[in-house]
């Protein structure tokens, strides 16, 4: 977004918050440099036999993926606090409204600037994470279903960024206190992320593989995400894995439990994008509702 092509409130918004935009760009650049350094170090490092040769890459990438989940919270808090609530709290928004700017254009300029910056950063972090995890793709303990890779490699993270921006625009006007608005926006956005994160693997039905008792549990496909495993009774009911003590050589299942088979529930990798699509759609609907509420509050207070 070039400042030379911006006019009116959009130019003012970008210029007013240019330090934050430059800091965000610096964070993206620093992340890329760090991942390149980690990839180079992992490629040249040698590990003793029997150890994980990519440990020095796997652990930072895991933490980096989780850190990227903070972006929607930070984007929402920044919109709610410094961009909206602080101007309402100090009264400086009145100056903008005297410069041939309507209330709608005043708020829209902030929403657009924050949304473009946050979504672009989320997309950049996603590409950086994709580049960094290439050597780890075949590792069983670095799965696509983990919260970090799941969000950063798909459309969910940009959608949550839009939600954070929309919630921030609404809460900033309702609370009108900088710190309080930032806290409430972070709490609301984080709560939505936590709830949908807990529900996402119930959007699609799992697949199941079974095997007879007395042998190891069946193995789903190598790239699958296992959600549950246990035993099936003669009546078709299910019992958890810990219902039957197991040893390395045989099963010690009580006869009264009437166990007949054992099962493993899993999501195949083919469920990744459908799950992403469902969650992204839900988040975008919530973001649209929050944005509608933000402009509704604005129209009521500044008709």
């Amino acid at each position: 977004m070039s400042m030379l092509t911006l006019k009116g409130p959009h130019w003012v918004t970008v210029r007013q918050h240019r330090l934050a935009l430059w800091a965000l760009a610096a964070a993206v650049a620093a992340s890329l440099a760090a991942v390149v350094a980690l990839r180079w170090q992992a490629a040249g490092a040698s590990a003793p036999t029997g150890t994980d040769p990519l440990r020095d890459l796997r652990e930072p990438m895991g933490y980096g993926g989780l850190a990227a989940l903070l972006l929607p919270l930070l984007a929402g808090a920044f919109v709610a606090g410094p961009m909206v609530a602080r101007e309402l709290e100090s009264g400086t928004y009145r100056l903008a409204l005297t410069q041939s700017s309507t209330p709608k254009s005043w708020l829209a300029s902030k929403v657009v600037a924050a949304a473009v910056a946050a979504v672009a950063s989320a997309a950049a972090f996603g590409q950086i994470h994709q580049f960094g995890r290439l050597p780890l793709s075949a590792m069983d303990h670095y799965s696509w279903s983990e919260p970090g890779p799941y969000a950063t490699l798909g459309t969910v993270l940009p959608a949550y960024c839009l939600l954070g921006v929309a919630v921030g625009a609404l809460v900033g006007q309702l609370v009108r206190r900088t710190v309080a608005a930032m806290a409430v926006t972070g709490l609301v956005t984080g709560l939505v992320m936590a709830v949908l994160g807990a529900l996402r693997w119930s959007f699609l039905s799992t697949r199941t593989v079974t095997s007879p008792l007395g042998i190891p549990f069946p193995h789903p496909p190598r790239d699958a995400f296992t959600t549950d495993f246990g035993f099936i009774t003669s009546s078709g009911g299910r019992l958890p894995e810990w219902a039957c003590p197991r040893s390395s050589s045989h099963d010690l299942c009580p006869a009264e439990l009437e166990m007949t088979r054992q099962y493993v529930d899993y999501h195949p990798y083919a469920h990744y994008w459908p799950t992403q699509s469902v969650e992204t759609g839900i988040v975008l609907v919530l973001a649209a509702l929050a944005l509608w509420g933000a402009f509704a509050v604005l129209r009521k207070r500044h008709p």
Side-chain angles (χ1 to χ4, degrees):
M1 185 183 294
S2 173
M3 292 183 60
L4 298 178
T5 61
L6 297 174
K7 297 180 180 179
H10 295 282
W11 182 87
V12 173
T13 298
V14 172
R15 179 172 177 79
Q16 184 180 13
H17 301 287
R18 62 188 183 278
L19 292 179
L21 295 176
W22 278 113
L24 189 58
V28 172
S31 299
L32 177 58
V35 170
V36 170
L38 288 170
R39 281 284 305 268
W40 177 81
Q41 181 181 6
S46 59
T49 304
T51 61
D52 181 3
L54 297 176
R55 177 181 178 182
D56 291 340
L57 176 63
R58 175 174 55 84
E59 292 185 356
M61 289 302 301
Y63 289 124
L66 293 176
L69 297 179
L70 297 176
L71 184 60
L73 282 68
L74 295 175
F78 189 79
V79 172
M83 296 189 82
V84 175
R86 185 167 64 186
E87 291 199 14
L88 295 175
E89 184 178 12
S90 63
T92 56
Y93 74 98
R94 296 189 182 93
L95 178 62
L97 300 184
T98 62
Q99 305 298 317
S100 301
S101 294
T102 64
K104 182 179 179 180
S105 62
W106 170 79
L107 182 61
S109 65
K110 300 180 182 303
V111 170
V112 170
V116 170
V119 171
S121 300
F125 283 129
Q127 293 301 310
I128 293 171
H129 194 84
Q130 175 67 31
F131 170 71
R133 76 184 297 271
L134 285 177
L136 307 172
S137 299
M139 299 176 67
D140 294 334
H141 48 279
Y142 195 79
S143 171
W144 52 269
S145 60
E146 294 180 1
Y150 171 84
T152 55
L153 299 177
T155 56
V156 164
L157 186 61
Y160 278 120
C161 287
L162 292 177
L163 175 65
V165 170
V167 171
L170 174 60
V171 173
Q173 294 183 85
L174 294 175
V175 177
R176 301 170 71 92
R177 294 292 184 271
T178 303
V179 176
M182 295 174 68
V184 172
T185 299
L187 179 62
V188 172
T189 306
L191 181 62
V192 173
M193 294 176 67
V195 170
L196 290 181
L199 296 176
R200 66 172 56 118
W201 299 118
S202 62
F203 295 155
L204 300 178
S205 300
T206 57
R207 297 181 183 179
T208 304
V209 290
T210 62
S211 66
L213 295 176
I215 63 175
F217 275 98
H219 292 287
R222 189 174 183 277
D223 60 352
F225 167 48
T226 299
T227 60
D228 189 24
F229 60 98
F231 301 97
I232 301 176
T233 65
S234 58
S235 62
R238 289 188 170 191
L239 294 173
E241 181 271 340
W242 48 261
C244 176
R246 298 172 61 86
S247 68
S248 59
S249 59
H250 63 281
D251 295 331
L252 303 175
C253 300
E256 60 269 19
L257 295 180
E258 298 182 346
M259 296 178 179
T260 58
R261 298 182 68 81
Q262 50 196 13
Y263 74 92
V264 173
D265 289 340
Y266 69 94
H267 283 287
Y269 180 71
H271 285 184
Y272 176 78
W273 284 111
T275 303
Q276 284 267 333
S277 299
V278 173
E279 186 171 355
T280 299
I282 294 173
V283 175
L284 290 180
V285 169
L286 295 176
L289 291 174
L291 190 61
W292 176 85
F295 280 96
V297 171
L298 185 71
R299 287 193 300 269
K300 182 177 180 179
R301 294 182 174 176
H302 303 280

